[in-house]
Amino acid sequence: MSVDERRAYARRLAAESIAEGDPTGWFERLYVAAQRGEAVVPWADLEPNPLLRAWARPGSGRALVVGCGLGDDAEHLAGLGYDVTAFDVAESAVARAGDRFPGSRVHYRAADLLVPPPEWRRAFDLVVESYTVQVLRAEARERAIANTADLVAPGGTLLVIARARDEADDPGRMPWPLTRTEIASFGLPAGRIEDLYDDENPPVRRWRAEFRRPAAS
C-alpha cells in the first residue's frame, strides 16, 4: 500500500466515524492501523512541529498539549522547562508516546477534548493546539474550539497551529483548513495571528495564532 493509499485510509476512517455520529472514534482505529503498517498518521512527523519550535522559548509554569499524538511537541516544551501535561483521545497514541520517551517528565494521559476533565478548566499557563481542531467538523469543531480556550489560565497563552483557507475556499478533504473567522472564534484576545506558508514541498498555508487570557479573567 502506497503512502497516498494509507493517507486515503485515514480519510475513510474519519468519514465513516463522522457518519456514525462519533467525531473522534476514528483516531484510535487510525493509530492501531498505523502500528500494524496499514495506515499512516498524517500529522505524526516524529519531530516537533516546526512552527511551534520557531515560536517557543524557555519558560516555566504548567503547559498542556492538546491531541499530543506521539509526544514530540510535548517533549519539546518539557525540554524548555515547562511542566507539561499531554493528552490524546487515542489510548494507543498515549501508550506509544510513553514507549518512545521512557523516563519522560511529561504527564501523558488519555482524554477527550470534547469532554475534558473539569479540573483542567483555566488551569494551564500555556496551551498548545496543533492540527487537532482541523480534523473535526461542524459542532465537534465548535466544541473543541470553545473547550481549548477554556483550558487557558488567567494570564495564560494559547497557541493554535492549523491549516488556513479563505472564507470562500472549498475546505476540500480532511484535514479541513480553518478560516480566519474560525481562528478568531477561540474567543480570547489575539496577540498575533500569522498567515504564512510552511517549508513543505509544496508549501502549505497555515495559521499560527497566539492568544492570551487577561490576568483578571
Side-chain angles (χ1 to χ4, degrees), residues 1-17 26-43 173-174:
M1 183 182 291
S2 69
V3 171
D4 286 344
E5 288 172 329
R6 286 181 286 174
R7 288 183 184 274
Y9 179 79
R11 293 190 175 100
R12 187 167 66 251
L13 283 181
E16 291 172 353
S17 187
W26 63 278
F27 289 102
E28 175 68 13
R29 283 182 274 171
L30 176 62
Y31 278 101
V32 170
Q35 288 181 335
R36 295 196 300 255
E38 299 170 359
V40 293
V41 180
W43 52 85
R173 303 181 299 175
M174 188 277 290

Side-chain angles (χ1 to χ4, degrees), residues 48-118:
N49 187 304
L51 296 181
L52 170 63
R53 194 167 50 213
W55 177 89
R57 297 292 182 269
S60 59
R62 298 185 69 196
L64 181 71
V65 177
V66 175
C68 66
L70 302 183
D72 296 278
D73 289 350
E75 296 296 329
H76 182 69
L77 291 176
L80 292 175
Y82 290 95
D83 177 12
V84 181
T85 298
F87 77 96
D88 203 286
V89 73
E91 294 185 2
S92 293
V94 173
R96 188 174 173 199
D99 290 342
R100 290 184 66 215
F101 301 104
S104 171
R105 296 191 297 110
V106 175
H107 313 289
Y108 288 107
R109 63 176 291 182
D112 187 348
L113 180 59
L114 301 184
V115 192

Side-chain angles (χ1 to χ4, degrees), residues 10 13 18 22 24 29 36 47 51 56-57 63-64 69 75 97 117 120 124-125 189 191 194 204 207 210 212 215:
L13 283 181
I18 291 169
D22 182 0
T24 62
R29 283 182 274 171
R36 295 196 300 255
E47 62 180 9
L51 296 181
R57 297 292 182 269
L64 181 71
E75 296 296 329
W120 286 1
F124 295 93
D125 304 296
E194 298 174 271
V204 176
W207 300 115
E210 179 181 337
R212 188 171 183 85

Side-chain angles (χ1 to χ4, degrees), residues 93-165:
V94 173
R96 188 174 173 199
D99 290 342
R100 290 184 66 215
F101 301 104
S104 171
R105 296 191 297 110
V106 175
H107 313 289
Y108 288 107
R109 63 176 291 182
D112 187 348
L113 180 59
L114 301 184
V115 192
E119 66 271 19
W120 286 1
R121 184 174 187 269
R122 300 194 179 187
F124 295 93
D125 304 296
L126 172 63
V127 175
V128 174
E129 191 290 288
S130 175
Y131 302 166
T132 300
V133 168
Q134 69 180 25
V135 295
L136 301 172
R137 304 205 75 176
E139 192 268 343
R141 176 174 286 195
E142 294 174 4
R143 286 175 59 194
I145 288 173
N147 289 348
T148 298
D150 204 37
L151 299 168
V152 182
T157 299
L158 167 64
L159 180 70
V160 179
I161 300 172
R163 288 186 178 234
R165 68 178 176 93

